[in-house]
Amino acid sequence: PRVQVPHPSAPEQLATAQRLSRRGALVHLDLGTSSDADAAAVLGSLMTDPTAREAQIEAGKRIVPGSGVADAANIILDRDGGA
């Protein structure tokens, strides 16, 4: 399950969580307003719902097409001169 709880003093984390949540790739929980019960409900639901997990995976693939980690590693190695 993909759940992000960004730190309230990190606006870049909050913006990323909101963007990915809108696109279906994760569930964003707000530290200031989400209770432990909210977090437990979200995690419990994702853990027992394979369709919801698959939907998150597919949403993530639409955001980062290709092989994700391998693509990022290749970009880093190419920029570093193939170290």
Side-chain angles (χ1 to χ4, degrees), residues 7-81:
H7 194 276
S9 67
E12 70 285 355
Q13 290 180 12
L14 178 60
T16 298
Q18 290 170 335
R19 246 187 340 267
L20 293 174
S21 180
R22 280 193 304 271
R23 295 180 76 178
L26 59 77
V27 175
H28 164 228
L29 290 176
D30 186 315
L31 252 182
T33 60
S34 298
S35 67
D36 289 347
D38 294 333
V42 166
L43 288 169
S45 175
L46 286 171
M47 289 172 55
T48 59
D49 186 350
T51 303
R53 291 193 308 271
E54 187 62 33
Q56 282 188 333
I57 291 167
E58 292 306 315
K61 287 179 181 178
R62 286 190 299 275
I63 295 168
V64 181
S67 58
V69 172
D71 292 343
N74 286 331
I75 290 168
I76 291 167
L77 290 174
D78 286 344
R79 287 187 182 163
D80 194 31

